[in-house]
Amino acid sequence: MWFANAKYVLGRVLHGIPIILAIVVVNFFLIRLAPGDAAQVLAGESGAATAEYMRQIREQFGLDQPLWLQFVNYMKNLLVFDLGFSFRHNREISELIMDRLGATALLMGTSMVLSIGFGILLGAIAAVRDRTLLSHVIMILAIVTYATPLFWVGLMLIIVFALNLGWFPTSGIATIGAPVDGFEYAIDVAHHLVLPAIALSFFYMALYTRLMRASMLETLGQDFIKTARAKGLSSSNIVFRHALRNAIIPVLTMAGVQVSAMLGGSVIIESVFGWPGLGLLAYEALFSRDLNLLLGIFFLSSILVVLTNAIVDVIYTLVDPRIRLNGGRHA
Amino acid sequence: MLSNSAKPTLLRKILSTPTGAIGMALLTTVILLALFASVLFPEGPFEMVGAPFRPPFGEYLFGTDMLGRDIAAGIAYGARISLLVGAVATLVIVLLGTVVGGLAGYYGGWIDTAAMRVTEFFQTIPTFIGAIVIVAVLGPTLPNIIGAIAVVSWAPLARLVRAEVRSVKGREFVEACLSLGMGDMRILVVQILPNVLSTIVVAGSLMVATAILFEAGLSFLGLGDPNIMTWGFMIGAGRSAIRTAWWMVTIPGIAVLLTVLAINLIGDALNEALNPRAKR
């Protein structure tokens, strides 16, 4: 059993490798698609790059060599996670990215928990109380939220809760000059996290609410639920012990798929709230036209998605014995 | 299925549901606004019409921005871009998705394997970051923005079309066509695709909404065409005045929200009208 599982896990991880290679190829050729000299493009259009930096870029990308050799060198560098050097930040790109990863993970993790938790809760309520005022209100809110641009939600939260009510800070991850570790720091970060996490989770919460309601309605109509009712089990017992557990599966599947979209959302939310993660780094890279850095972020975020997909698949085989080995996921 | 004679009934079906009726009313308003933008605001969206920082519902319906530009004019001209991007991007997505998904689903074999590998790649890359990278590298022009949105969004549709084509291909009438000596292309285009059309229409209608949200996000981040007024750009520009002038970010956002909402509602109504069994 565990051996079969380990083989599956390994297979899943190997499966991601061609995709990562393809991303490298795309990154490599994208720069060469850009109008003008690749070194100029990578250095940015502002013309602020020094001769020294231009030389470094030509060297890193081997721009004076034949194309195939350039590609081989590029691959070699990426294999050891050498993403190059950012002139604007005056640091290695891999270091820059690693520094920002934690903040993004905190924001995305919190938003995922919020959106999945409330999505399941609201969707289940809407299904159990189907055709009542409560379920209509929930579904209308979900439909409207589903149409709302993330960045706009963020700005509205800032106007209401930060500027007018003054309950939360408008931006950043911590108060400048406040203690940098210990309990107080954690509280301070949590205080800064509230608005961006809510803003990022809104859209996904709406998505999961709609999905959960549909899935729950379907589950409640199935035979095993009828059997449970016939056995005389209480209503709440049926909902919580039987229906909910089955109805959750499509929502979790969707949440796994949405990690990639949420990374995009965090670029927007981080730039709205000045949250110093990967997304804000990408936004800064856009502004300074630091394309080398932008491509590094794209590369790393793609790897993150490949890893998450593999992890989600593995969790499935552990949680749901019906999905195993040769079969993909169901739902 | 969607033949000319069936169209009035489809429209009536959509209008008969409350969501469909609201969606249609909202979308019609936005389309009219886009069509008559130059009649309503002949001076264009970049013209400074009055004093800056005028609040809404006074002299100017939606107020003015920090440069004294009429926000209502921006909303009207922005509607053009949002609808254009949504429509053209979706057209490209549907074309790409149908060709790739149709061929993969019909022929199977190595074509299918190759197509599925490619779609898997496009489904794995973080779509919005991918669009940012493409536009940043190739330059912020309207065709590049539309192309970027289409490139990162076509894969799910291709998978959907492939699955539908495969299931239709297994039906008896396809075998009948084969035994009649009909060519592959003719079977695929004339016999199978019409059966898949309702799925494509429903998925496509929701793609329009996603494309509009993508465009708004890109131009909010400053990746819009600098010569074009868009809702996302207005929100991005209004950010710097968020402490004093709430309307500069709020009103264009409501425009995006209502347009996307309208399209989603119509998509839901279309889904109910075309796939009554898959009612959600």
Side-chain angles (χ1 to χ4, degrees), chain A residues 15 18 23 30 34 143-144 147-149 151-152 155-156 159 163 210 260 271-272 283 289 295 298 302 305-306, chain B residues 117 120-121 124-126 128 130 133 136-137 217 220-221 235 239 242-243 249-250 253-254 256-257 260-261 264 268:
Chain A
H15 186 79
I23 290 160
L30 203 58
I143 288 168
V144 172
T148 317
F151 54 94
W152 188 72
L155 293 168
M156 291 303 107
I159 290 180
L163 295 177
R210 298 183 73 178
S260 147
S271 27
V272 168
Y283 184 65
R289 298 227 19 103
L295 286 177
F298 182 51
S302 305
V305 174
V306 170
Chain B
R117 275 280 153 162
E120 199 183 342
F121 167 75
T124 303
I125 57 168
F128 191 67
V133 169
V137 170
F220 172 74
L221 289 179
I235 300 172
R239 259 181 89 183
I242 196 170
R243 282 168 196 276
V249 294
T250 308
I254 293 174
V256 181
L257 166 59
V260 173
L261 179 66
N264 283 342
D268 285 353

Side-chain angles (χ1 to χ4, degrees), chain A residues 238-289:
Chain A
I238 292 170
V239 169
F240 289 107
R241 298 246 344 244
H242 296 269
L244 205 65
R245 280 166 76 177
N246 283 283
I248 277 175
I249 293 173
V251 177
L252 295 184
T253 308
M254 184 55 117
V257 175
Q258 292 296 325
V259 168
S260 147
M262 219 179 205
L263 267 169
S266 75
V267 175
I268 289 243
I269 292 299
E270 286 180 17
S271 27
V272 168
F273 287 95
W275 184 263
L278 275 185
L280 189 64
L281 192 64
Y283 184 65
E284 293 162 356
L286 266 181
F287 252 72
S288 53
R289 298 227 19 103

